[in-house]
Amino acid sequence: MIEFDAVGFGALNIDRLFNVNEIAKEDEESHIHNLKTYCGGSAANTIIGLARLRLQTGFIGKVGSDEEGKLLLNDFKREKVDTKEVAIAKDGRSGSVIGFVDGQGRRALYVDPGVNDSITLQRTTLEYCENTRLLHLSSFVGDQSFQSQKKLIKKIPKHVKVSFDPGMLYARRGLSALRPFIRRSFAVLPNKAELKLLTGEEYEIGADKLISEGVKIVGVKMGKRGCYVTNGKIKHKVVPFKVKVIDTTGAGDAWNAGFIYGLLTNRTLINCGRLGNLIASRCISRRGARTGLPQISDLQQQGELLE
Ligand SMILES: Nc1ncnc2c1ncn2[C@@H]1O[C@H](COP(=O)(O)OP(=O)(O)OP(=O)(O)O)[C@@H](O)[C@H]1O
Ligand SMILES: [Mg+2]
């Protein structure tokens, strides 16, 4: 019996965002107006998006035995994401991000990967992955967890589809380092800049290049221009939903949730792209990466897309 529709494997972070009057440079001083704390991590945001759409979900990751770790685990539990494969490290800190945002929305971010970068593959991890229809991967800063992901995808059975959002961190490693991921991926979901970095080509040719490496579907996120989706034969540019943009944090992760939801419910490729744009548009209408992610019941007016 397959237990999960989708399992995520990626970093888990507590994001602390300070609103400041100015981002201080060396030897300068600035002041803080406000502090907001969010649970984050790319694959984690995507999995929570899928859980709100009532799919059965789980997560592979690692937190520390600290308050931040508790927050991250409780957030998953509240969203009904299974946490059996989230390891709790005895030593080390949970991953965190400290960010400074000024009045114009400019940001300076400092990432502390903490225990995210020391994930090792357990026997139970492989068993966990045999019980999902789809495994969604996002990036880590360090090498050990990258290697663990690589080992895992070599071992998981054929019936498990893999979706992969390389982000800037992995795109920078280049195509040959990522080939084991690309070859095993059913869907690769970069943004335009990451695809360019990865393939050296603009998005249409870049996507074809990934298809020629064995990927079945490429979904390219293009910010306010929406997205481009292709399986090598069908190619669609999909226009975005018009919304008032409040905060684009996590837009790409939300897009992944909509797109993967489409894949798992057997929609046409263009409708998968529309669903990605739809969930992303809800995300960017609210502050924070997860706040705007809709429940199924919030999407009733999108009837034809969800039939
Ligand atoms: N201004 C906008 N108006 C409408 N939709 C938008 C806008 N900006 C982003 N989106 C939606 O969000 C999706 C993802 O955004 P984007 O292309 O910036 O992803 P990303 O760079 O991976 O984001 P992230 O920084 O979260 O990783 C787009 O494909 C689009 O559907
Ligand atoms: Mg992204």
Side-chain angles (χ1 to χ4, degrees), residues 228-266:
Y228 173 73
V229 292
T230 181
N231 59 13
K233 292 192 200 89
I234 303 169
K235 298 168 194 244
H236 292 295
K237 282 183 201 155
V238 190
V239 293
F241 286 75
K242 285 207 176 68
V243 289
K244 180 160 184 272
V245 181
I246 302 293
D247 175 11
T248 60
T249 309
D253 308 331
W255 189 93
N256 293 342
F259 189 81
I260 291 168
Y261 181 82
L263 289 181
L264 289 173
T265 53
N266 300 314

Short mmCIF file of all heavy atoms in Angstrom, two decimals, residues 228-266:
data_model
loop_
_atom_site.label_atom_id
_atom_site.label_comp_id
_atom_site.label_asym_id
_atom_site.label_seq_id
_atom_site.Cartn_x
_atom_site.Cartn_y
_atom_site.Cartn_z
N TYR A 228 6.86 28.52 -18.27
CA TYR A 228 6.99 27.79 -19.53
C TYR A 228 7.03 26.32 -19.18
O TYR A 228 7.81 25.92 -18.29
CB TYR A 228 8.28 28.22 -20.23
CG TYR A 228 8.62 27.42 -21.48
CD1 TYR A 228 7.90 27.60 -22.67
CD2 TYR A 228 9.65 26.49 -21.46
CE1 TYR A 228 8.22 26.86 -23.81
CE2 TYR A 228 9.99 25.76 -22.61
CZ TYR A 228 9.26 25.95 -23.77
OH TYR A 228 9.57 25.23 -24.90
N VAL A 229 6.20 25.51 -19.83
CA VAL A 229 6.19 24.08 -19.53
C VAL A 229 6.34 23.29 -20.82
O VAL A 229 5.78 23.67 -21.86
CB VAL A 229 4.89 23.65 -18.79
CG1 VAL A 229 4.84 24.23 -17.39
CG2 VAL A 229 3.64 24.05 -19.57
N THR A 230 7.09 22.20 -20.76
CA THR A 230 7.29 21.38 -21.97
C THR A 230 7.59 19.94 -21.60
O THR A 230 8.15 19.65 -20.54
CB THR A 230 8.44 21.94 -22.84
OG1 THR A 230 8.56 21.13 -24.01
CG2 THR A 230 9.77 21.94 -22.11
N ASN A 231 7.19 19.04 -22.51
CA ASN A 231 7.62 17.65 -22.40
C ASN A 231 8.47 17.28 -23.62
O ASN A 231 8.67 16.12 -23.93
CB ASN A 231 6.42 16.71 -22.26
CG ASN A 231 5.48 16.81 -23.46
OD1 ASN A 231 5.82 17.39 -24.50
ND2 ASN A 231 4.29 16.25 -23.31
N GLY A 232 8.94 18.31 -24.33
CA GLY A 232 9.74 18.08 -25.54
C GLY A 232 8.88 18.17 -26.79
O GLY A 232 9.32 18.71 -27.80
N LYS A 233 7.64 17.69 -26.70
CA LYS A 233 6.74 17.79 -27.86
C LYS A 233 5.80 18.97 -27.69
O LYS A 233 5.72 19.85 -28.52
CB LYS A 233 5.91 16.49 -27.99
CG LYS A 233 6.74 15.29 -28.38
CD LYS A 233 5.83 14.13 -28.79
CE LYS A 233 6.59 12.81 -28.71
NZ LYS A 233 6.46 12.21 -27.35
N ILE A 234 5.11 18.99 -26.54
CA ILE A 234 4.19 20.11 -26.26
C ILE A 234 5.00 21.21 -25.58
O ILE A 234 5.80 20.94 -24.69
CB ILE A 234 3.06 19.64 -25.33
CG1 ILE A 234 2.33 18.44 -25.95
CG2 ILE A 234 2.10 20.75 -25.00
CD1 ILE A 234 1.38 17.75 -24.99
N LYS A 235 4.79 22.46 -26.03
CA LYS A 235 5.47 23.60 -25.41
C LYS A 235 4.46 24.71 -25.16
O LYS A 235 3.77 25.12 -26.09
CB LYS A 235 6.58 24.13 -26.34
CG LYS A 235 7.66 23.10 -26.61
CD LYS A 235 8.58 23.50 -27.74
CE LYS A 235 9.37 22.28 -28.15
NZ LYS A 235 10.79 22.36 -27.95
N HIS A 236 4.34 25.15 -23.91
CA HIS A 236 3.38 26.22 -23.60
C HIS A 236 4.03 27.30 -22.75
O HIS A 236 4.70 26.99 -21.77
CB HIS A 236 2.24 25.68 -22.71
CG HIS A 236 1.33 24.72 -23.38
ND1 HIS A 236 0.53 25.05 -24.44
CD2 HIS A 236 1.09 23.41 -23.11
CE1 HIS A 236 -0.18 23.99 -24.80
NE2 HIS A 236 0.15 22.98 -24.02
N LYS A 237 3.76 28.56 -23.12
CA LYS A 237 4.01 29.66 -22.18
C LYS A 237 2.68 29.90 -21.49
O LYS A 237 1.66 30.02 -22.17
CB LYS A 237 4.43 30.92 -22.94
CG LYS A 237 5.88 30.86 -23.37
CD LYS A 237 6.29 32.15 -24.06
CE LYS A 237 7.50 31.85 -24.91
NZ LYS A 237 7.66 32.77 -26.05
N VAL A 238 2.68 29.95 -20.18
CA VAL A 238 1.42 30.08 -19.46
C VAL A 238 1.40 31.41 -18.72
O VAL A 238 2.27 31.67 -17.87
CB VAL A 238 1.22 28.90 -18.47
CG1 VAL A 238 -0.20 28.91 -17.92
CG2 VAL A 238 1.53 27.56 -19.13
N VAL A 239 0.40 32.26 -19.05
CA VAL A 239 0.36 33.60 -18.46
C VAL A 239 0.01 33.51 -16.97
O VAL A 239 -0.71 32.63 -16.54
CB VAL A 239 -0.67 34.52 -19.17
CG1 VAL A 239 -0.24 34.84 -20.58
CG2 VAL A 239 -2.07 33.92 -19.14
N PRO A 240 0.56 34.45 -16.17
CA PRO A 240 0.30 34.39 -14.72
C PRO A 240 -1.08 34.95 -14.37
O PRO A 240 -1.74 35.55 -15.23
CB PRO A 240 1.38 35.30 -14.16
CG PRO A 240 1.62 36.30 -15.24
CD PRO A 240 1.44 35.56 -16.53
N PHE A 241 -1.50 34.75 -13.13
CA PHE A 241 -2.72 35.37 -12.62
C PHE A 241 -2.37 36.79 -12.19
O PHE A 241 -1.29 37.03 -11.64
CB PHE A 241 -3.26 34.58 -11.43
CG PHE A 241 -3.89 33.29 -11.85
CD1 PHE A 241 -3.11 32.20 -12.24
CD2 PHE A 241 -5.28 33.17 -11.89
CE1 PHE A 241 -3.70 31.01 -12.65
CE2 PHE A 241 -5.88 31.99 -12.30
CZ PHE A 241 -5.08 30.90 -12.68
N LYS A 242 -3.28 37.72 -12.46
CA LYS A 242 -3.01 39.12 -12.07
C LYS A 242 -3.41 39.31 -10.62
O LYS A 242 -4.57 39.15 -10.26
CB LYS A 242 -3.83 40.07 -12.96
CG LYS A 242 -3.27 40.20 -14.36
CD LYS A 242 -3.64 41.56 -14.97
CE LYS A 242 -2.99 41.73 -16.33
NZ LYS A 242 -3.55 40.81 -17.35
N VAL A 243 -2.44 39.64 -9.80
CA VAL A 243 -2.73 39.89 -8.37
C VAL A 243 -1.88 41.05 -7.88
O VAL A 243 -0.89 41.43 -8.53
CB VAL A 243 -2.40 38.65 -7.48
CG1 VAL A 243 -3.39 37.53 -7.70
CG2 VAL A 243 -0.97 38.16 -7.70
N LYS A 244 -2.29 41.62 -6.74
CA LYS A 244 -1.46 42.65 -6.12
C LYS A 244 -0.34 41.93 -5.36
O LYS A 244 -0.61 41.11 -4.49
CB LYS A 244 -2.33 43.48 -5.16
CG LYS A 244 -1.56 44.57 -4.46
CD LYS A 244 -2.50 45.65 -3.93
CE LYS A 244 -1.70 46.77 -3.32
NZ LYS A 244 -1.39 46.56 -1.89
N VAL A 245 0.90 42.25 -5.74
CA VAL A 245 2.04 41.54 -5.14
C VAL A 245 2.40 42.17 -3.79
O VAL A 245 2.68 43.36 -3.72
CB VAL A 245 3.26 41.58 -6.08
CG1 VAL A 245 4.43 40.82 -5.47
CG2 VAL A 245 2.91 41.00 -7.45
N ILE A 246 2.38 41.36 -2.76
CA ILE A 246 2.74 41.83 -1.41
C ILE A 246 4.15 41.35 -1.04
O ILE A 246 4.96 42.10 -0.51
CB ILE A 246 1.72 41.33 -0.35
CG1 ILE A 246 0.30 41.80 -0.68
CG2 ILE A 246 2.12 41.75 1.07
CD1 ILE A 246 0.10 43.31 -0.57
N ASP A 247 4.45 40.07 -1.32
CA ASP A 247 5.75 39.51 -0.92
C ASP A 247 5.98 38.25 -1.77
O ASP A 247 5.17 37.33 -1.72
CB ASP A 247 5.69 39.16 0.59
CG ASP A 247 6.96 38.46 1.08
OD1 ASP A 247 7.96 38.42 0.34
OD2 ASP A 247 6.93 37.95 2.22
N THR A 248 7.05 38.25 -2.55
CA THR A 248 7.27 37.10 -3.45
C THR A 248 8.08 35.96 -2.81
O THR A 248 8.40 34.99 -3.48
CB THR A 248 8.00 37.54 -4.75
OG1 THR A 248 9.26 38.10 -4.38
CG2 THR A 248 7.19 38.53 -5.55
N THR A 249 8.38 36.07 -1.52
CA THR A 249 9.11 34.97 -0.85
C THR A 249 8.34 33.66 -1.03
O THR A 249 7.14 33.60 -0.74
CB THR A 249 9.24 35.25 0.66
OG1 THR A 249 9.76 36.55 0.83
CG2 THR A 249 10.15 34.22 1.32
N GLY A 250 9.04 32.64 -1.52
CA GLY A 250 8.40 31.32 -1.64
C GLY A 250 7.51 31.16 -2.86
O GLY A 250 6.83 30.14 -3.00
N ALA A 251 7.53 32.15 -3.77
CA ALA A 251 6.66 32.05 -4.97
C ALA A 251 6.97 30.78 -5.76
O ALA A 251 6.07 30.06 -6.21
CB ALA A 251 6.85 33.28 -5.85
N GLY A 252 8.27 30.51 -5.92
CA GLY A 252 8.68 29.34 -6.69
C GLY A 252 8.27 28.03 -6.00
O GLY A 252 7.88 27.07 -6.67
N ASP A 253 8.33 28.01 -4.68
CA ASP A 253 7.95 26.81 -3.93
C ASP A 253 6.44 26.57 -4.05
O ASP A 253 5.99 25.43 -4.18
CB ASP A 253 8.31 26.96 -2.45
CG ASP A 253 9.77 27.35 -2.25
OD1 ASP A 253 10.60 26.98 -3.11
OD2 ASP A 253 10.07 28.02 -1.25
N ALA A 254 5.68 27.66 -4.01
CA ALA A 254 4.23 27.56 -4.15
C ALA A 254 3.89 27.09 -5.56
O ALA A 254 3.01 26.24 -5.76
CB ALA A 254 3.60 28.93 -3.89
N TRP A 255 4.61 27.63 -6.54
CA TRP A 255 4.40 27.20 -7.94
C TRP A 255 4.63 25.69 -8.04
O TRP A 255 3.83 24.97 -8.66
CB TRP A 255 5.35 27.96 -8.88
CG TRP A 255 5.05 27.74 -10.33
CD1 TRP A 255 4.26 28.50 -11.14
CD2 TRP A 255 5.55 26.66 -11.15
NE1 TRP A 255 4.22 27.95 -12.40
CE2 TRP A 255 4.99 26.83 -12.44
CE3 TRP A 255 6.37 25.56 -10.91
CZ2 TRP A 255 5.25 25.94 -13.49
CZ3 TRP A 255 6.63 24.67 -11.95
CH2 TRP A 255 6.07 24.87 -13.23
N ASN A 256 5.72 25.20 -7.42
CA ASN A 256 6.00 23.76 -7.44
C ASN A 256 4.81 22.97 -6.89
O ASN A 256 4.46 21.91 -7.43
CB ASN A 256 7.22 23.42 -6.58
CG ASN A 256 8.52 23.98 -7.15
OD1 ASN A 256 8.60 24.33 -8.32
ND2 ASN A 256 9.54 24.04 -6.31
N ALA A 257 4.22 23.47 -5.80
CA ALA A 257 3.09 22.75 -5.18
C ALA A 257 1.93 22.62 -6.17
O ALA A 257 1.37 21.54 -6.36
CB ALA A 257 2.64 23.46 -3.91
N GLY A 258 1.60 23.73 -6.83
CA GLY A 258 0.50 23.70 -7.79
C GLY A 258 0.81 22.77 -8.96
O GLY A 258 -0.04 21.97 -9.38
N PHE A 259 2.02 22.87 -9.46
CA PHE A 259 2.42 22.06 -10.62
C PHE A 259 2.41 20.57 -10.26
O PHE A 259 1.87 19.74 -11.00
CB PHE A 259 3.80 22.49 -11.10
CG PHE A 259 4.20 21.86 -12.40
CD1 PHE A 259 3.75 22.38 -13.61
CD2 PHE A 259 5.01 20.74 -12.43
CE1 PHE A 259 4.10 21.79 -14.82
CE2 PHE A 259 5.37 20.13 -13.63
CZ PHE A 259 4.91 20.66 -14.83
N ILE A 260 2.99 20.22 -9.11
CA ILE A 260 3.05 18.81 -8.68
C ILE A 260 1.63 18.29 -8.41
O ILE A 260 1.31 17.15 -8.74
CB ILE A 260 3.96 18.66 -7.43
CG1 ILE A 260 5.42 18.92 -7.83
CG2 ILE A 260 3.81 17.28 -6.80
CD1 ILE A 260 6.38 19.08 -6.65
N TYR A 261 0.79 19.14 -7.82
CA TYR A 261 -0.61 18.74 -7.61
C TYR A 261 -1.24 18.36 -8.95
O TYR A 261 -1.91 17.33 -9.07
CB TYR A 261 -1.39 19.89 -6.97
CG TYR A 261 -2.83 19.54 -6.69
CD1 TYR A 261 -3.17 18.81 -5.55
CD2 TYR A 261 -3.85 19.91 -7.57
CE1 TYR A 261 -4.49 18.46 -5.30
CE2 TYR A 261 -5.17 19.56 -7.32
CZ TYR A 261 -5.48 18.84 -6.19
OH TYR A 261 -6.78 18.49 -5.95
N GLY A 262 -0.96 19.16 -9.97
CA GLY A 262 -1.46 18.86 -11.32
C GLY A 262 -0.94 17.53 -11.84
O GLY A 262 -1.70 16.72 -12.37
N LEU A 263 0.35 17.29 -11.66
CA LEU A 263 0.95 16.02 -12.12
C LEU A 263 0.30 14.83 -11.43
O LEU A 263 -0.04 13.83 -12.08
CB LEU A 263 2.45 15.98 -11.81
CG LEU A 263 3.40 16.88 -12.59
CD1 LEU A 263 4.84 16.64 -12.10
CD2 LEU A 263 3.31 16.62 -14.09
N LEU A 264 0.11 14.95 -10.12
CA LEU A 264 -0.40 13.81 -9.34
C LEU A 264 -1.88 13.58 -9.57
O LEU A 264 -2.40 12.52 -9.21
CB LEU A 264 -0.11 14.03 -7.85
CG LEU A 264 1.37 13.89 -7.45
CD1 LEU A 264 1.56 14.28 -5.98
CD2 LEU A 264 1.87 12.46 -7.68
N THR A 265 -2.58 14.57 -10.11
CA THR A 265 -4.00 14.38 -10.39
C THR A 265 -4.25 14.31 -11.90
O THR A 265 -5.37 14.52 -12.37
CB THR A 265 -4.84 15.52 -9.75
OG1 THR A 265 -4.30 16.79 -10.17
CG2 THR A 265 -4.80 15.47 -8.23
N ASN A 266 -3.17 13.98 -12.63
CA ASN A 266 -3.25 13.68 -14.07
C ASN A 266 -3.85 14.79 -14.93
O ASN A 266 -4.64 14.52 -15.83
CB ASN A 266 -4.04 12.37 -14.31
CG ASN A 266 -3.37 11.21 -13.61
OD1 ASN A 266 -2.14 11.06 -13.71
ND2 ASN A 266 -4.15 10.43 -12.88
#
